Amino acid sequence: MLAASAVQDDPGKRSCALPAVVEDPRHPPESLGYVFILHNHPFENELSDFDIRFAVAMADVHGLTVNTRAGPVPLSIIAFFSKGHDPTQPTCDGFFQYVPGTGQIIRWTAREKGRWQRRQIATLTWLDDTNYRIQRQ
């Protein structure tokens, strides 16, 4: 579900906010939960401070995990990136994943034959309610 905010105060950026609840008549309300917060980065840059703080804010509202039939799945923010520089021919070359429940920052890159390579690139540790440290691997 796309959750774009009606107010976009910076023409160079897009922001979104997840609703506190999702109503879907096909499912009981307690069975629905957030798993991934998805967005795009135009180039291969890392997660921004805004991305990290947004993920934590959403985890505060929605919880660090959602329970599925297969077990708990941690909430993550995903930021897709492209190594290409032609905006008319965008490519998906990978994505960054931040998992607030574990502090992991993972970089996934596309490999041949549709395979993905996973590499933890950093661990984020909160020092207090507003400050954090990123330790690169």
Side-chain angles (χ1 to χ4, degrees):
M1 167 187 272
L2 180 62
S5 297
V7 176
Q8 300 291 328
D9 57 356
D10 182 341
K13 296 181 182 177
R14 293 287 175 249
S15 62
C16 59
L18 301 176
V21 296
V22 175
E23 293 181 20
D24 185 334
R26 300 170 300 173
H27 305 282
E30 67 278 359
S31 72
L32 299 172
Y34 289 103
V35 178
F36 297 109
I37 304 163
L38 303 175
H39 74 289
N40 294 331
H41 277 212
F43 302 109
E44 190 183 7
N45 52 350
E46 293 187 18
L47 293 172
S48 68
D49 181 63
F50 179 82
D51 296 334
I52 290 166
R53 293 182 187 282
F54 181 74
V56 170
M58 293 299 99
D60 286 345
V61 172
H62 303 288
L64 290 173
T65 62
V66 62
N67 291 317
T68 69
R69 287 184 209 137
V73 175
L75 175 77
S76 294
I77 188 164
I78 303 291
F80 294 100
F81 65 82
S82 173
K83 293 181 182 179
H85 297 286
D86 181 355
T88 64
Q89 297 290 321
T91 60
C92 179
D93 296 305
F95 59 93
F96 294 101
Q97 176 182 11
Y98 168 52
V99 186
T102 64
Q104 293 176 302
I105 299 177
I106 301 161
R107 184 175 188 267
W108 294 84
T109 49
R111 307 296 285 184
E112 59 271 347
K113 298 182 183 176
R115 296 186 182 150
W116 290 89
Q117 179 180 7
R118 176 192 192 277
R119 184 170 67 95
Q120 183 173 341
I121 59 170
T123 301
L124 187 144
T125 305
W126 286 93
L127 304 173
D128 55 40
D129 288 345
T130 57
N131 299 297
Y132 61 83
R133 179 183 69 231
I134 296 178
Q135 183 176 351
R136 309 262 180 232
Q137 306 292 13

